[in-house]
Amino acid sequence: MQKKVLAAAIGACLIAPAAMAEVTISGRLAVGFESYEIDGMDSELRVSDQSSSLVFSGKEDLGGGLSAWFRIDNRFNPDANIPTGPSAGTSFGATGNTGVGLEGGFGRLTIGRWDLHYNEMFAYESLPSGSLQTRVTGSVFSQVGAGTPFDKIANNTRTPNVIMWDGSFGGGFSARVAYSTSGILPNATESSGEDEGDVITAALRWSNGPLSLG
């Protein structure tokens, strides 16, 4: 019981200051008209979404160099091509990078749902276009979790139930350490009830001018 009360108190401290912050609305509306044609088959015209989003974010100064912040990343499909299920219609919901946390001299603390390994390589690989197809195939790490047996290693795209620290250091160094309770255990099956386990992700990066390493 004490642990539950403590967790609730910490959550209240993080959420309440952020709720008073000035809200910034941003996002990306990307919808296109496309024509697909495969040899030996009829061509097909499509209206397709390219990962549209509507983001609400804010930051509140708590004093002493400490700030509380929040981000709600709502992903939606303007082409509304999902007929049934929880993502039917425009599939509007906080399915993007969404979290709340604290920021200060120690770095940035995040609690929520976030990309971890999935887009770690994007900073080092040039994206030739802004299409969704390019983004989901533009990184080596984005393929981890894409199918058997890799779906037993890590979650596809964003990882839920994340506690994450990001920090920057002198000389162009930055780092990330994240813990999640919703990883996927190797050799486990959903029917066994053992498909989820603790996961730790870590990254160390260096960037100086045209050269980036990670």
Side-chain angles (χ1 to χ4, degrees):
M1 180 62 69
Q2 291 180 347
K3 291 183 179 179
K4 292 182 179 179
V5 172
L6 179 60
I10 294 175
C13 289
L14 291 175
I15 295 172
M20 297 183 292
E22 181 177 342
V23 177
T24 299
I25 301 175
S26 60
R28 179 173 185 264
L29 180 59
V31 59
F33 184 68
E34 303 172 349
S35 175
Y36 287 85
E37 184 172 356
I38 302 176
D39 289 344
M41 300 180 65
D42 295 335
S43 61
E44 178 180 338
L45 298 178
R46 298 180 182 178
V47 174
S48 63
D49 172 53
Q50 301 294 329
S51 192
S52 298
S53 64
L54 180 62
V55 180
F56 300 92
S57 60
K59 181 186 292 188
E60 179 72 13
D61 186 2
L62 302 179
L66 185 65
S67 298
W69 64 271
F70 74 93
R71 173 187 169 96
I72 304 172
D73 186 347
N74 300 281
R75 300 298 173 92
F76 63 96
N77 296 74
D79 57 328
N81 60 353
I82 303 176
T84 60
S87 298
T90 58
S91 67
F92 189 83
T95 57
N97 287 333
T98 298
V100 62
L102 297 173
E103 191 174 82
F106 59 88
R108 184 181 180 100
L109 175 66
T110 301
I111 298 176
R113 167 188 174 90
W114 218 267
D115 284 320
L116 296 181
H117 69 283
Y118 182 75
N119 64 356
E120 187 62 35
M121 294 293 291
F122 285 163
Y124 315 109
E125 298 177 2
S126 175
L127 300 180
S129 68
S131 73
L132 179 61
Q133 286 78 10
T134 302
R135 289 189 62 82
V136 299
T137 59
S139 168
V140 173
F141 284 1
S142 71
Q143 304 306 307
V144 177
T148 303
F150 301 109
D151 58 355
K152 297 302 181 185
I153 297 176
N155 292 279
N156 289 16
T157 64
R158 284 156 293 281
T159 301
N161 300 322
V162 167
I163 301 173
M164 177 173 65
W165 170 83
D166 287 286
S168 298
F169 313 95
F173 284 96
S174 65
R176 165 174 289 178
V177 177
Y179 167 77
S180 170
T181 61
S182 295
I184 304 176
L185 293 174
N187 304 319
T189 61
E190 294 184 7
S191 59
S192 69
E194 299 177 346
D195 60 322
E196 293 187 353
D198 298 341
V199 168
I200 295 176
T201 298
L204 179 63
R205 319 175 191 94
W206 177 78
S207 180
N208 188 0
L211 183 62
S212 296
L213 303 173

